[in-house]
Amino acid sequence: MPHPFSLSTAIAYVNGPPHIGHALEFVEADCLARYHRMIGDEVYFLTGTDEHGSKIVQTAEKLGIGVRELVDMNAEKFRTMMAQYRISYDQFIRTSDQKIHWPAVEKIWKKMVEKGDIYKDEYKGLYCVGCEEYKVEKDLVDGKCPSHDKAPEEVEQVNYFFRLSKYSDQIAEILKSQQVKILPNFRANEIIALCERGLEDVSFSRPNEQLSWGVPVPGDESQTMYVWCDALTNYISALDYANEGELFRKFWPVDCHVIGKDILRFHAGVWIGMLLSAEIPLPKAELVHGWIHFEGGRMSKSMGNVVDPVDLAQHYGVDASRYYLLAEIPVGQDGNFSYELFENKINADLANNLGNFVNRVLSMTERYLNDVVPPHKQDIPSEVDDLWQDYHEAFVEYDHQKAAQAMIGLVNLGNKLIDDAKPWAMAKNENQSEDLRQVLRRLLKMVLHLAFMLSPFCPEKAEQIAASFDLDDQLDATGLEKLQQNTLLDQVKQVKKTNVVLFARIEPEKSKVHQTS
Ligand code: MSP
């Protein structure tokens, strides 16, 4: 029986098109999903869009278009970007979907009411629309929200509140004992300290006349639910929590929520509190990524340095863009984007190293063996097993950057084998023809191993490599099993080298470096 593995990304606000930070999160989750499928797990990968709240309404007003028009337009841009990046999600949930999403939101709300955790009170305070969050004075710098450089709105209203304070100690314990594992660990410490200082109750609704674009509070249509209460619930509404159907039974609790550092407070605090209140099992892990900066500084529209993931992939290729985000940005830490770093990484790792290795092996097989795969069984170096072990361990730790390093380790090993064996010298000596065949067989096998290791990172290029063996539809769990049993190459009599360059070097005429420095 395959082991179920479920994961989610945050659902992005649709007040604008996707940016590179979103792309980072989607490819991180996609890489995990593809890896787990490859090892034979039954994966459920959820993503979607967060379509309610004041931010969306205000953006629509600013643009002079209807809210529905805005959310439909931008949700479509997210879908298009995800298709371009080959994000292999199983469901795309939209919080404005009244059929799938709303019934679950209503259900969890009622559960929290039954528990006595929702109460009505008067609220006077500050609200930052950018963060969709209530603020206190100490959160502000010179009276402004530091993330949005804007003074929050003063609100005075009657609200429903969620009694999060009641769960502070319990949440701190859950995080400390790693019942919910926050990765990397230093992020857990930050949030545990916050819980230990005591979490405050959260305003969980707004009067309808102030905000009507959202889910109405069950039993009180004069109030609209707070956008985060509605948004967090997407993780279970999509799995049919409303009916506690098959998806919910199979894939909840989720194995991993992939989120950014700015929204950990909501996921480790509010969300766990809501689940405890409604007596729903807790997520197993939350993988928290950092922020992407542009050349060391903040990426922002006003500075004109926002990197558009769609343009990036159009210019350099989807797999090169995916690879940069997965292999260069350290897992969990803030990372940097610059065209120079990008181009250097792609040229060094993919064009000069990986692409060159594959090309050398296939070219030599063509030149010396007429593309015929030598039939003998030849064991591959034991270091390949060690690299696979590193690779699997890295994914267990949710460290895809380390997994990418193991994959590049395999490439280095292959290139070294070529340099040491010097097949071109063997080809000149008839007495060495059998040695030559064995070396090339060994190298071909390593190229196949590489195709598998590469596939969660660069699915299209991995398929292109496997297509040289006519195995492009076998980069799956069955194929991997055969690979590990050392029988996959036995199926292949002949390879075919295509003329399509795997990863072209980014030459000066294609470079964007000069355009930004
Ligand atoms: N709608 C909420 C999430 C609700 S989840 C129940 C939200 N949306 S967002 O569009 O602002 O962000 C979506 C994800 O993208 C978040 O995980 C966020 O951390 C991430 N990123 C947004 N900007 C980012 C960068 N500049 N860099 C890296 N990730 C960033 O928050």
Side-chain angles (χ1 to χ4, degrees):
M1 274 290 274
H3 178 271
F5 181 88
S6 55
L7 78 167
S8 65
T9 67
I11 48 170
Y13 289 124
V14 279
N15 57 321
H19 59 70
I20 193 85
H22 295 121
L24 170 73
E25 188 166 305
F26 300 147
V27 297
E28 281 193 354
D30 187 60
C31 180
L32 275 171
R34 286 177 183 272
Y35 167 77
H36 280 273
R37 281 191 207 105
M38 182 172 82
I39 62 165
D41 288 346
E42 189 178 357
V43 171
Y44 202 85
F45 174 12
L46 175 67
T47 190
T49 39
D50 188 352
E51 305 192 351
H52 291 140
S54 314
K55 199 192 319 230
I56 308 285
V57 175
Q58 289 186 3
T59 307
E61 277 164 7
K62 232 184 271 163
L63 294 174
I65 59 175
V67 185
R68 172 52 68 191
E69 195 185 335
L70 175 76
V71 300
D72 284 350
M73 177 179 82
N74 283 328
E76 200 44 44
K77 287 186 184 158
F78 273 89
R79 275 184 195 271
T80 306
M81 181 250 143
M82 286 197 207
Q84 180 193 24
Y85 273 74
R86 293 192 57 174
I87 306 300
S88 58
Y89 58 80
D90 293 287
Q91 191 182 156
F92 189 100
I93 179 101
R94 298 180 61 185
T95 55
S96 65
D97 183 324
Q98 301 193 12
K99 265 227 303 276
I100 298 178
H101 182 62
W102 289 28
V105 180
E106 283 155 9
K107 179 167 169 175
I108 197 171
W109 180 279
K110 286 182 192 155
K111 291 259 180 202
M112 293 188 292
V113 170
E114 279 167 26
K115 214 37 181 310
D117 289 340
I118 300 284
Y119 61 93
K120 211 168 188 179
D121 205 353
E122 218 162 282
Y123 182 80
K124 189 166 180 235
L126 302 165
Y127 190 77
C128 172
V129 173
C131 298
E132 293 283 15
E133 189 180 10
Y134 293 93
K135 299 282 180 189
V136 287
E137 288 296 344
K138 71 171 168 37
D139 298 327
L140 308 177
V141 177
D142 296 330
K144 291 180 179 170
C145 162
S147 306
H148 295 93
D149 198 27
K150 234 177 149 181
E153 288 174 7
E154 287 196 24
V155 288
E156 195 174 348
Q157 62 205 13
V158 171
N159 279 171
Y160 287 98
F161 278 75
F162 171 50
R163 220 180 281 285
L164 181 60
S165 58
K166 174 174 155 188
Y167 296 101
S168 291
D169 294 346
Q170 202 179 341
I171 296 175
E173 251 339 287
I174 284 165
L175 299 178
K176 270 198 242 168
S177 66
Q178 303 204 331
Q179 186 189 338
V180 176
K181 216 171 176 174
I182 307 291
L183 299 160
N185 209 23
F186 74 91
R187 297 261 179 231
N189 300 337
E190 290 167 14
I191 188 82
I192 290 167
L194 201 79
C195 295
E196 284 178 336
R197 284 200 295 276
L199 297 168
E200 285 176 19
D201 290 354
V202 193
S203 166
F204 246 34
S205 71
R206 300 279 295 264
N208 221 339
E209 61 267 19
Q210 284 181 23
L211 178 70
S212 60
W213 178 247
V215 185
V217 166
D220 184 353
E221 303 260 315
S222 70
Q223 294 268 331
T224 305
M225 243 180 245
Y226 176 40
V227 61
W228 272 99
C229 167
D230 143 27
L232 288 162
T233 308
N234 91 86
Y235 299 130
I236 52 175
S237 67
L239 300 179
D240 194 21
Y241 165 66
N243 303 302
E244 300 192 22
E246 204 187 320
L247 279 180
F248 184 73
R249 293 196 302 274
K250 190 173 218 170
F251 293 112
W252 189 264
V254 71
D255 286 274
C256 185
H257 286 314
V258 181
I259 55 170
K261 64 177 184 180
D262 56 318
I263 57 172
L264 175 61
R265 288 187 322 284
F266 292 100
H267 284 78
V270 183
W271 181 222
I272 295 185
M274 288 170 67
L275 293 168
L276 287 171
S277 171
E279 298 181 5
I280 299 169
L282 305 180
K284 293 180 204 160
E286 298 185 357
L287 175 63
V288 187
H289 62 79
W291 223 237
I292 299 194
H293 297 294
F294 186 81
E295 293 179 349
R298 214 179 137 182
M299 208 180 276
S300 76
K301 268 189 208 155
S302 56
M303 285 160 79
N305 61 6
V306 174
V307 178
D308 177 349
V310 173
D311 287 351
L312 188 76
Q314 264 165 8
H315 190 79
Y316 294 108
V318 169
D319 279 356
S321 307
R322 286 177 60 111
Y323 182 77
Y324 182 83
L325 295 170
L326 292 166
E328 178 66 19
I329 308 290
V331 178
Q333 307 278 354
D334 284 357
N336 205 3
F337 183 94
S338 80
Y339 286 104
E340 196 172 356
L341 273 175
F342 184 96
E343 293 179 8
N344 288 344
K345 181 80 179 165
I346 300 310
N347 281 344
D349 284 9
L350 299 184
N352 297 352
N353 202 7
L354 191 154
N356 193 31
F357 168 57
V358 176
N359 187 42
R360 285 168 102 187
V361 176
L362 292 174
S363 301
M364 288 191 293
T365 310
E366 184 181 43
R367 192 169 327 133
Y368 305 137
L369 305 180
N370 225 351
D371 280 334
V372 176
V373 178
H376 305 285
K377 283 211 170 156
Q378 172 67 58
D379 281 333
I380 49 161
S382 64
E383 289 98 317
V384 174
D385 292 336
D386 298 340
L387 289 165
W388 267 111
Q389 199 175 332
D390 293 349
Y391 183 86
H392 290 307
E393 276 172 15
F395 273 111
V396 170
E397 292 162 18
Y398 289 102
D399 192 338
H400 47 265
Q401 191 186 31
K402 221 158 104 190
Q405 284 156 3
M407 187 259 297
I408 292 295
L410 178 65
V411 174
N412 293 337
L413 190 69
N415 273 327
K416 183 166 181 311
L417 206 150
I418 299 177
D419 296 343
D420 291 348
K422 301 190 179 44
W424 50 90
M426 289 176 165
K428 289 188 189 136
N429 185 344
E430 263 187 29
N431 294 335
Q432 286 194 301
S433 68
E434 189 48 34
D435 291 345
L436 174 65
R437 284 152 62 86
Q438 295 209 5
V439 163
L440 286 178
R441 177 160 177 111
R442 183 181 279 203
L443 286 166
L444 286 166
K445 234 179 225 177
M446 287 174 77
V447 171
L448 258 188
H449 278 263
L450 175 64
F452 278 85
M453 278 195 183
L454 182 66
S455 65
F457 295 88
C458 305
E460 192 186 324
K461 298 299 176 180
E463 277 165 26
Q464 195 181 323
I465 297 173
S468 297
F469 296 77
D470 214 6
L471 293 173
D472 42 324
D473 58 351
Q474 293 197 43
L475 288 175
D476 55 14
T478 316
L480 184 62
E481 215 176 300
K482 288 185 191 160
L483 182 81
Q484 278 158 351
Q485 288 164 354
N486 213 359
T487 58
L488 190 60
L489 192 60
D490 297 344
Q491 282 174 228
V492 186
K493 301 288 168 250
Q494 200 151 11
V495 286
K496 49 177 187 293
K497 186 176 169 293
T498 63
N499 290 328
V500 185
V501 180
L502 204 55
F503 289 104
R505 249 192 86 78
I506 303 161
E507 300 296 353
E509 57 277 13
K510 206 175 172 177
S511 171
K512 285 198 167 201
V513 174
H514 61 281
Q515 296 175 14
T516 54
S517 51

